[in-house]
Amino acid sequence: MLQKPKSVKLRALRSQRKFGVAGRSCQEVLHKGCLRFQLPERGSRLCLYEDGTELTEDYFPSVPDNAELVLLTSGQAWQGYVSDIGRFLSAFHEPHAGLVQAAQQLLCDEQAPQRQRLLADLLHNVSQNIAAETRAEDPPWFEGLESRFQNKSGYLRYSCESRIRSYLREVSSYPSLVGAEAQEEFLRVLGSMCQKLRSVQYNGSYFDRGAKGGGRLCTPEGWFSCQGPFDMDSCLSRHSINPYSNRESRILFSTWNLDHIIEKKRTIIPTLVEAIKEQDGREVDWEYFYGLLFTSENLKLVHIVCHKKTIHKLNCDPNRIYKPQPRLKRKRPVRKR
């Protein structure tokens, strides 16, 4: 339970009203919400308005203040219309006046609650500056960020770089484990990795929608999709988010994990340490370990709900730990004349 109450905006699925509610736990917010909307608490639950993620007590502390939530009763479902509508609207560099006018007219005439909500969301999303990039174009997006960040892509690049740098710091703390004799080799490998990371700017392009296609994890409009769980072909909940759209999405995106498929602490680093200890004249293939630790070869972006704190049971490829040794050419015997 939180020490300080968290404030959220709460709506019910079939209601046009929206209330501000504060609570120290998910259950407290749910209880107050049911009282507000006069709904049965039994079987009810809360989810994020944006993408339909169901809230749990563990997830509740990571939800940003003033996040918009939907209160669902038993049997109701919410997949999150904003993401799907945003994909459509992101095709427009500027909201089209005719589109807005048509949606407003439809909203006035529409009686079905689900369709009313869809049209209301469309109008809400039109007002967001998804295409805006600079602080001057979208000041609310930058609230709470240092003044040195003047564009969205620059901040998100920094966010990605910070994650990669944290992995590098973790690897840098291991030289003492290899013993005095192997420390020099470990530092040589570490130095090569550092140099490579600096040359690619710590792979910050992964979060930059302006980067080339192969260098980013998002669409040109800034949409990211969950790439987990690792033991399935795709994320079953189909989570997606555009941190470029508004401040709330930017904050929520910070809760997504950039996870290692082959685990960093349990597998990659111990295997690297052991390889350096036991190299016996062989050359450790540092580029293989670099790819596992710092690149999308082994890093996947995962929504917090799909993130599993379990052993992935994957190992490093034993055939790639050391560089292939050159084959010695056999000398042909000299033929007697």
Side-chain angles (χ1 to χ4, degrees):
M1 182 175 290
L2 301 175
Q3 294 183 348
K4 182 181 177 181
K6 184 186 292 290
S7 299
V8 297
K9 298 173 184 176
L10 191 61
R11 64 166 70 181
L13 187 62
R14 304 189 183 281
S15 173
Q16 297 299 311
R17 295 188 300 169
K18 187 163 56 177
F19 295 102
V21 178
R24 290 183 172 84
S25 67
C26 183
Q27 186 60 42
E28 184 179 352
V29 172
L30 179 65
H31 175 70
K32 290 181 177 179
C34 289
L35 291 177
R36 280 282 191 178
F37 289 103
Q38 297 182 347
L39 295 172
E41 188 172 345
R42 185 175 181 179
S44 294
R45 61 198 189 283
L46 299 172
C47 68
L48 292 178
Y49 169 69
E50 184 176 43
D51 63 3
T53 300
E54 189 169 330
L55 263 65
T56 62
E57 291 295 349
D58 290 338
Y59 185 39
F60 183 73
S62 66
V63 174
D65 286 335
N66 296 315
E68 197 160 344
L69 307 180
V70 179
L71 174 57
L72 302 175
T73 57
S74 180
Q76 292 182 333
W78 178 261
Q79 299 300 322
Y81 283 132
V82 172
S83 294
D84 292 332
I85 296 170
R87 290 178 187 275
F88 166 69
L89 291 174
S90 64
F92 295 90
H93 292 292
E94 296 182 3
H96 193 279
L99 176 68
V100 174
Q101 185 177 0
Q104 288 175 333
Q105 184 60 48
L106 286 170
L107 183 59
C108 293
D109 299 338
E110 183 58 62
Q111 298 300 318
Q114 292 272 10
R115 292 181 181 177
Q116 281 184 341
R117 177 63 57 217
L118 176 61
L119 291 167
D121 289 341
L122 190 150
L123 287 170
H124 169 72
N125 222 36
V126 164
S127 66
Q128 295 180 4
N129 277 331
I130 291 179
E133 180 64 25
T134 67
R135 185 181 284 266
E137 292 171 329
D138 193 359
W141 193 93
F142 292 86
E143 288 180 12
L145 298 182
E146 297 176 29
S147 59
R148 63 190 174 107
F149 298 113
Q150 292 298 313
N151 61 73
K152 296 178 181 180
S153 295
Y155 171 75
L156 287 165
R157 283 188 73 101
Y158 168 80
S159 174
C160 186
E161 288 175 15
S162 297
R163 301 190 194 202
I164 300 297
R165 286 176 186 270
S166 70
Y167 301 154
L168 179 61
R169 285 195 296 271
E170 197 169 337
V171 180
S172 301
S173 66
Y174 276 78
S176 59
L177 298 182
V178 300
E181 294 181 358
Q183 278 190 22
E184 184 178 347
E185 175 63 12
F186 188 95
L187 293 174
R188 185 194 69 79
V189 168
L190 185 61
S192 298
M193 290 182 176
C194 290
Q195 187 175 357
K196 177 80 170 179
L197 281 171
R198 285 194 294 268
S199 71
V200 295
Q201 298 179 314
Y202 295 88
N203 289 322
S205 64
Y206 288 163
F207 289 0
D208 183 358
R209 64 180 176 181
K212 293 182 180 180
R216 53 178 159 78
L217 300 180
C218 61
T219 69
E221 297 77 29
W223 286 99
F224 293 83
S225 296
C226 178
Q227 297 176 307
F230 304 136
D231 55 348
M232 301 179 187
D233 292 335
S234 62
C235 173
L236 295 180
S237 54
R238 297 180 182 176
H239 293 291
S240 61
I241 191 170
N242 191 331
Y244 288 85
S245 61
N246 54 53
R247 179 175 176 270
E248 182 177 302
S249 295
R250 167 175 65 78
I251 295 172
L252 280 174
F253 185 64
S254 67
T255 67
W256 285 45
N257 296 286
L258 199 56
D259 276 0
H260 293 81
I261 303 175
I262 300 175
E263 291 187 290
K264 177 176 79 273
K265 283 186 177 180
R266 291 191 177 103
T267 306
I268 304 173
I269 297 178
T271 302
L272 174 60
V273 169
E274 190 64 24
I276 291 174
K277 285 181 179 179
E278 306 293 334
Q279 61 186 129
D280 190 25
R282 295 169 292 181
E283 185 178 357
V284 174
D285 191 347
W286 66 266
E287 289 180 295
Y288 169 61
F289 288 99
Y290 167 87
L292 295 180
L293 288 165
F294 307 117
T295 77
S296 56
E297 174 188 337
N298 189 52
L299 288 172
K300 301 299 175 186
L301 189 64
V302 182
H303 186 281
I304 191 170
V305 172
C306 298
H307 176 66
K308 295 184 177 181
K309 286 290 185 184
T310 56
I311 300 175
H312 301 157
K313 298 179 181 179
L314 295 173
N315 296 314
C316 297
D317 185 348
N319 297 317
R320 299 186 62 187
I321 292 175
Y322 298 103
K323 289 185 177 181
Q325 292 182 311
R327 293 181 180 179
L328 296 175
K329 293 183 179 180
R330 292 183 178 180
K331 292 184 178 181
R332 293 182 180 179
V334 180
R335 290 183 180 180
K336 294 182 179 180
R337 293 183 179 178

